[in-house]
Amino acid sequence: MTATTPDVTPEAAFSGIGTIANPATGAEAGQVHWTDPADVPTIAAGLRSAQREWEQRGAKGRAKALARFAVWLSEHRDEIEDLLIKETGKSAADAAQEVPLLIMILSYVIKTMDKALAPERRPAPLPILAIKKITVHYRPRPVVGIIAPWNYPVANALMDAIGALAAGCAVLLKPSERTPLTAELLRRGWLDSGAPDVLALAQGAREVAGAVIDNADYIQFTGSSATGAKVAERAARRLTPVSLELGGKDPMIVCEDADVELAAHAAVWGAMFNAGQTCVSVERVYVLEPVYDQFVAAVVRDVQALHVGAGDGNHFGALIDEQQLAITERHVREAVAAGARALTGGQRVDGPGSFYQPTVLVDVDHSMACMTEETFGPTLPIMKVATVDEAIRLANDSPYGLSASVFSADVKRAKDIAVQLDCGAVNINDVISNLMCTTAPMGGWKTSGIGARFGGADGMRKFCRQETVVEPRTNVGAGGNYYHNSLKALARMNRVMTRTALARPRRTAK
């Protein structure tokens, strides 16, 4: 769920009190107190102190607090979504997706966290070491810094924080400077639900983000590939581990035996949902020649039925700001100038707000930015291909590798295609659904990221340090290799270890 627009506003603008404008109307959505970067170390120190008691509650105790927060989210859903629409210019349909996703994640984590975080027994590597008991403990990193983007201010702010809080960490959240208001509401809800003060905010832009990186024990960043590289570089100064969910240019492949209507519906929703401002959105489509015309016609029909606008009764809303709209305009303008055709849209919506018409592009190729650069806008470029091999080659011809989708009536064939695509997840006969599969990792290849979010138990353990404790089962044989033991005892131990290591496996009786 990556937001790609870099911050270009002068840092001086992020001091004192700031006003956040609604991108759909230009009206004031609310005000925020920007954090002084010099205050971040103090905020982090407070979290570090509070985290000790939070860890000591144990998984069961933390689960109770998380459950109360889930109830608060459910009870305040309307308030949260109203603020989302004001802050981002989303349609009501898009705003309605975020709170349920968090409740789903919370429900899963609450049910599984005790087992996922329990100490784990490991077997002895050799029979001679059976006198030892080996246990791996998962110890939370005290402060997890989360630098979140603007495209999903609720979901992207907390979908990783939930795993960190479950693990026993404190969380220092820096929401996007474009969408700080919903983060304030979420923190209020955390405290109002009776949870301890282990979730804090740092509001601001680059300098505040830098201070968060410098004062956290782990960094979860969601954003552009270029900014992700800078985050990793800064974190490396203190050897702070990072998890980066970065940009994408997700391909869809439509085979000649696909359900064309289903594929068309999926492509339109996958490309236009949230005005295309989703890291795992459909950003380019490769369609086999026999069904190309039918697919394009179905897509155009669906797109022409879409309504653009904020709030109720619309399919998707505004882009976050004029800068993001300008990227979309450039990609379409350059493609058309190079020979592409816009079958729908192709320009911004008349009137106030940063709205762009849903745009279907054909006669495109990889010389065009609309097929190679992340657009993050409501566009759908479609390219005709002769063979599946050509589709796979073009899909992999990208610096990105976040997710993809394959449509075919033959699921086995689609799976064979899927495992040839260079990306972190592939949806068969669907789009974006991997985002809901929190039992599996969501991570990118190539410049789409490092590490993964979710992944079942790994989605909580990633925020922990592993500590191995080796304890004796018996004192027999203790100190067999110490200096004070005889050379005969040492030689005997070496012979036993050598024989054990080189012993052939026993054959199983038939």
Side-chain angles (χ1 to χ4, degrees):
M1 304 179 100
T2 312
T4 61
T5 308
D7 167 41
V8 294
T9 306
E11 285 290 331
F14 300 100
S15 61
I17 298 176
T19 299
I20 305 303
N22 182 334
T25 64
E28 180 179 320
Q31 291 189 327
V32 61
H33 285 81
W34 301 119
T35 302
D36 187 332
D39 292 336
V40 172
T42 301
I43 298 171
L47 287 173
R48 211 173 294 279
S49 177
Q51 181 271 335
R52 289 191 288 271
E53 187 275 332
W54 178 239
E55 178 183 359
Q56 290 168 3
R57 291 190 182 197
K60 287 185 172 64
R62 295 193 297 272
K64 293 177 181 178
L66 291 168
R68 290 192 296 268
F69 182 52
V71 172
W72 184 92
L73 288 170
S74 178
E75 292 175 345
H76 292 78
R77 180 178 173 181
D78 290 345
E79 180 184 1
I80 296 169
E81 290 174 2
D82 287 345
L83 182 56
L84 261 180
I85 292 170
K86 286 176 62 178
E87 189 170 38
T88 64
K90 288 178 184 277
S91 68
D94 285 345
Q97 307 293 319
E98 300 200 41
V99 172
L101 176 60
L102 288 185
I103 293 175
M104 180 190 75
I105 296 170
L106 278 161
S107 177
Y108 172 75
V109 166
I110 289 165
K111 294 174 183 176
T112 61
M113 57 190 286
D114 188 34
K115 181 178 179 181
L117 298 167
E120 189 176 76
R121 292 280 297 278
R122 297 292 174 90
L126 296 171
I128 195 173
L129 288 175
I131 60 173
K132 301 295 185 183
K133 181 180 177 182
I134 306 167
T135 311
V136 177
H137 295 257
Y138 295 95
R139 300 282 307 282
R141 298 180 187 276
V143 177
V144 170
I146 295 178
I147 303 174
W150 46 258
N151 56 336
Y152 293 94
V154 173
N156 264 324
L158 290 186
M159 64 199 316
D160 298 298
I162 290 168
L165 291 165
C169 313
V171 171
L172 178 53
L173 169 65
K174 193 210 85 68
S176 169
E177 62 276 13
R178 290 171 171 80
T179 53
L181 303 178
T182 43
E184 299 278 357
L185 178 56
L186 293 172
R187 182 174 185 273
R188 191 197 83 194
W190 174 256
L191 297 176
D192 287 353
S193 66
D197 200 358
V198 289
L199 173 62
L201 301 180
Q203 299 280 25
R206 286 171 297 198
E207 289 187 2
V208 171
V212 170
I213 296 169
D214 292 344
N215 288 277
D217 305 299
Y218 187 99
I219 295 296
Q220 171 70 51
F221 172 79
T222 305
S224 72
S225 299
T227 305
K230 295 176 182 178
V231 169
E233 181 181 359
R234 183 153 185 163
R237 299 175 189 174
R238 297 173 55 243
L239 297 182
T240 302
V242 298
S243 179
L244 309 175
E245 203 257 278
L246 307 177
K249 190 70 178 176
D250 290 8
M252 171 192 280
I253 295 175
V254 182
C255 298
E256 76 283 354
D257 63 345
D259 180 335
V260 174
E261 285 294 311
L262 175 64
H265 295 329
V268 172
W269 182 77
M272 306 302 170
F273 175 69
N274 202 44
Q277 298 173 124
T278 305
C279 64
V280 291
S281 65
V282 177
E283 289 238 357
R284 51 196 171 114
V285 185
Y286 304 99
V287 186
L288 272 291
E289 188 171 2
V291 294
Y292 175 82
D293 291 338
Q294 182 185 355
F295 177 83
V296 170
V299 164
V300 169
R301 178 203 63 212
D302 282 5
V303 168
Q304 288 175 337
L306 297 180
H307 299 285
V308 182
D312 292 326
N314 296 296
H315 291 93
F316 67 84
L319 280 82
I320 192 64
D321 56 22
E322 289 291 326
Q323 183 180 345
Q324 192 60 45
L325 188 144
I327 295 172
T328 305
E329 287 182 317
R330 175 175 64 82
H331 283 188
V332 174
R333 181 179 65 252
E334 291 178 355
V336 172
R341 291 182 294 138
L343 301 184
T344 67
Q347 57 188 349
R348 68 181 299 157
V349 176
D350 291 335
S354 50
F355 295 96
Y356 195 83
Q357 296 175 351
T359 301
V360 178
L361 293 169
V362 295
D363 299 336
V364 293
D365 59 47
H366 277 219
S367 69
M368 302 173 184
C370 71
M371 291 293 285
T372 58
E373 298 178 12
E374 188 172 31
T375 304
F376 233 57
T379 65
L380 184 58
I382 306 171
M383 185 172 176
K384 182 191 301 183
V385 293
T387 66
V388 168
D389 287 344
E390 182 186 5
I392 293 171
R393 178 180 61 79
L394 291 168
N396 288 337
D397 181 23
S398 173
Y400 298 108
L402 197 54
S403 68
S405 55
V406 179
F407 282 76
S408 171
D410 184 342
V411 173
K412 182 182 182 304
R413 180 193 187 198
K415 287 170 65 177
D416 290 341
I417 296 170
V419 296
Q420 297 179 68
L421 299 177
D422 298 337
C423 59
V426 180
N427 298 291
I428 294 175
N429 294 335
D430 200 359
V431 294
I432 306 182
S433 58
N434 64 292
L435 184 60
M436 310 299 174
C437 301
T438 56
T439 56
M442 179 189 171
W445 294 15
K446 299 185 278 190
T447 61
S448 287
I450 297 173
R453 55 167 43 118
F454 307 141
D458 290 339
M460 292 171 267
R461 291 175 178 175
K462 66 182 268 188
F463 298 111
C464 297
R465 295 168 291 191
Q466 295 182 21
E467 181 179 4
T468 299
V469 176
V470 181
E471 58 186 291
R473 295 180 185 275
T474 173
N475 287 329
V476 175
N481 60 335
Y482 292 174
Y483 287 128
H484 70 275
N485 280 301
S486 69
L487 294 176
K488 289 182 179 180
L490 182 59
R492 183 168 58 248
M493 185 196 70
N494 286 338
R495 284 197 302 272
V496 171
M497 291 186 68
T498 302
R499 288 171 184 169
T500 303
L502 299 179
R504 294 180 179 178
R506 293 180 180 179
R507 292 184 178 180
T508 304
K510 295 183 180 178

